[in-house]
Amino acid sequence: MSDMETWDVIIIGAGSAGLSAALYTVRSGLGTLVLDEKIAGGTITNAPTIVNYPGFLEISGAELAQKIADHAQKFGAVIHEIETVTALNLHGEIKTVTTPTATYNAKAIIIATGSHYKELGVKGEQEFRGRGVSYCGVCDGPFFRGKHVLVVGGGNSASITTLYLSNLVAQVTLIHRRETLRAEQSLVDDITNKTNIKILWNTEIQEIKGDKQVRTVTLKNNKTKQTQELKTDAVFVQIGEAPNSQLATASGVEIDEHGYIKTNLHQQTNLPGVFTAGDITNHPIKQVGTAVGQGITAALEAYAYIRQPYHKKHPIETITPISKTEKTSKP
C-alpha cells in the first residue's frame, strides 16, 4: 500500500446504500474504494428475515447484504472491512480520508455511515449489556432457546425480532409504550396469531436487574402509573436507530436537528463533491429499498460531478432539500 492512494470515489460505509453506490460507480468506470469499520453489510445483517425487498419473497438480511457486496466486488469495487475512518478533509477539489493504516485521496466522497441502535437509557442497561441485554435478535436469540424474553419497541424491527424469537424461545413479551404497533399490518397479524407472544401496552422499562445475567425488569404503565416486576432471561431493545454523523459533522457537513445529514433529491450535501445516502440522511423513509435507491443516485451524481465539470455549478441551495425528518423503521 502506498502512502497516499488516490481514487475517483471513496465510499464511507458498506451497508445497503454504500454497497449499491459502489456497484454503480465501478460500472460507470470510476475507481472505487469502500471503507467500513465493521464487516460489510450494515445493520440489515441483523435482520432475521426480509420480506419486503422486491425480487425476494423472503431472504435473511445477512444473505441479502452478502449478495450486494459480491455484486459490487464482481465489477471491481475494492472493499476494506475493519478499517475505521478517523478524519476527513472534504474541502477542495481533492478530498482526504484518513484511517489508522493509510491516507487516501478522492475526487468525490459518498457518506453512507448509516445508524446505530438507540438505547433505553435505563438503570442496568449498560451493566447487563451482553449478559441478557441485546440489540440484535439474530445474533443473540439462539442463546435463549426455551426461555422467556422481552422485546422493547413497536415498529417493524421490534415486530420482526419478536416473531423471530417466538420460534426459538418459550415466550416473548413485547413491551410497547403506546397502545398500537407502528409496524406493517402483516407483521401485526402474524404477532396476533402467535400463542407464545404477549403484548404489554402503554408500558415502559424503568430498570433492568439481575446478578451475572438479567433476571427481572421493573415495568411502569404510563397510563395507570402502576409498576410491576417481571421475570425474564433477556431484554432485546428495538426502539429505533440514531445516525452515525459525528465524523461528517466534524468535517463541515451540515446536519439537521436530529443529527441526520441534510441532503436533496440529488443526494448532495452542502459541500461540493460530497454526497450521502441511506439511513444517515434526513430522508423520511428508512428502508433497505430506499437506501439502495439513494446509493444509486449518489453514485450517478458523483460520476456526473467528476466527469462533467458543469455539474459543479449547481449548489445544494438551488434544489429544494428534503426537510421532513420523521423516521420510519426498517426491517
Side-chain angles (χ1 to χ4, degrees):
M1 180 180 294
S2 62
D3 292 336
M4 185 76 75
E5 292 188 14
T6 299
W7 299 80
D8 290 318
V9 178
I10 292 178
I11 300 170
I12 306 172
S16 305
L19 292 173
S20 299
L23 172 62
Y24 273 71
T25 54
V26 292
R27 283 182 56 82
S28 297
L30 301 179
T32 302
L33 173 65
V34 184
L35 300 170
D36 198 294
E37 63 181 2
K38 298 179 181 179
I39 299 297
T43 57
I44 68 165
T45 58
N46 297 329
T49 306
I50 294 176
V51 295
N52 59 358
Y53 189 79
F56 295 95
L57 292 178
E58 181 175 317
I59 188 171
S60 73
E63 184 180 0
L64 179 59
Q66 189 60 56
K67 286 181 179 294
I68 301 174
D70 290 345
H71 199 173
Q73 288 178 303
K74 177 182 178 180
F75 286 98
V78 176
I79 301 175
H80 287 187
E81 299 175 314
I82 321 297
E83 185 168 358
T84 302
V85 176
T86 56
L88 293 172
N89 185 341
L90 303 179
H91 301 278
E93 294 293 316
I94 300 298
K95 327 296 181 184
T96 303
V97 179
T98 303
T99 76
T101 57
T103 300
Y104 307 98
N105 284 337
K107 300 172 185 175
I109 300 288
I110 298 175
I111 301 173
T113 46
S115 57
H116 60 273
Y117 294 114
K118 287 183 179 179
E119 299 179 353
L120 291 169
V122 301
K123 185 177 180 181
E125 181 177 13
Q126 291 301 319
E127 179 184 354
F128 292 103
R129 187 166 186 161
R131 296 190 291 137
V133 173
S134 173
Y135 302 86
C136 176
V138 175
C139 310
D140 300 322
F143 293 113
F144 300 95
R145 291 181 184 274
K147 298 188 177 182
H148 291 216
V149 303
L150 302 183
V151 175
V152 186
N156 282 355
S157 295
S159 299
I160 291 171
T161 297
T162 297
L163 289 166
Y164 171 75
L165 291 172
S166 71
N167 294 319
L168 297 175
V169 304
Q171 182 173 340
V172 185
T173 300
L174 179 59
I175 307 295
H176 187 40
R177 62 180 180 175
R178 298 185 175 90
E179 52 191 24
T180 56
L181 297 175
R182 295 174 288 107
E184 295 173 1
Q185 189 58 47
S186 61
L187 295 174
V188 176
D189 293 341
D190 288 342
I191 286 175
T192 303
N193 292 328
K194 295 282 287 192
T195 58
N196 66 335
I197 296 176
K198 178 182 179 181
I199 303 178
L200 293 182
W201 304 107
N202 304 306
T203 302
E204 300 179 42
I205 290 183
Q206 299 292 295
E207 184 177 355
I208 300 171
K209 301 177 182 179
D211 38 53
K212 293 182 179 180
Q213 297 286 328
V214 169
R215 300 300 179 193
T216 65
V217 294
T218 302
L219 303 176
K220 181 179 181 179
N221 185 295
N222 55 36
K223 280 198 169 183
T224 66
K225 308 305 179 183
Q226 293 182 332
T227 62
Q228 64 170 309
E229 291 287 315
L230 185 66
K231 291 183 179 180
T232 186
D233 296 296
V235 178
F236 289 86
V237 181
Q238 298 282 288
I239 58 173
E241 299 167 0
N244 298 320
S245 57
Q246 297 88 343
L247 187 65
T249 305
S251 307
V253 177
E254 290 185 2
I255 60 174
D256 66 14
E257 65 271 25
H258 301 287
Y260 293 95
I261 294 177
K262 291 182 179 181
T263 188
N264 56 23
L265 296 179
H266 296 254
Q267 302 306 136
Q268 296 169 312
T269 70
N270 60 301
L271 301 180
V274 180
F275 304 87
T276 186
D279 286 0
I280 189 66
T281 74
N282 64 338
H283 191 283
I285 306 300
K286 309 298 183 186
Q287 293 279 310
V288 180
T290 53
V292 168
Q294 291 168 31
I296 294 169
T297 300
L300 297 179
E301 289 291 336
Y303 171 81
Y305 174 83
I306 293 171
R307 297 290 191 239
Q308 303 175 33
Y310 77 86
H311 194 274
K312 302 177 186 179
K313 299 178 182 178
H314 297 274
I316 188 171
E317 290 79 11
T318 64
I319 305 167
T320 303
I322 298 170
S323 59
K324 184 180 179 183
T325 55
E326 179 183 353
K327 189 173 187 293
T328 300
S329 298
K330 72 170 183 300

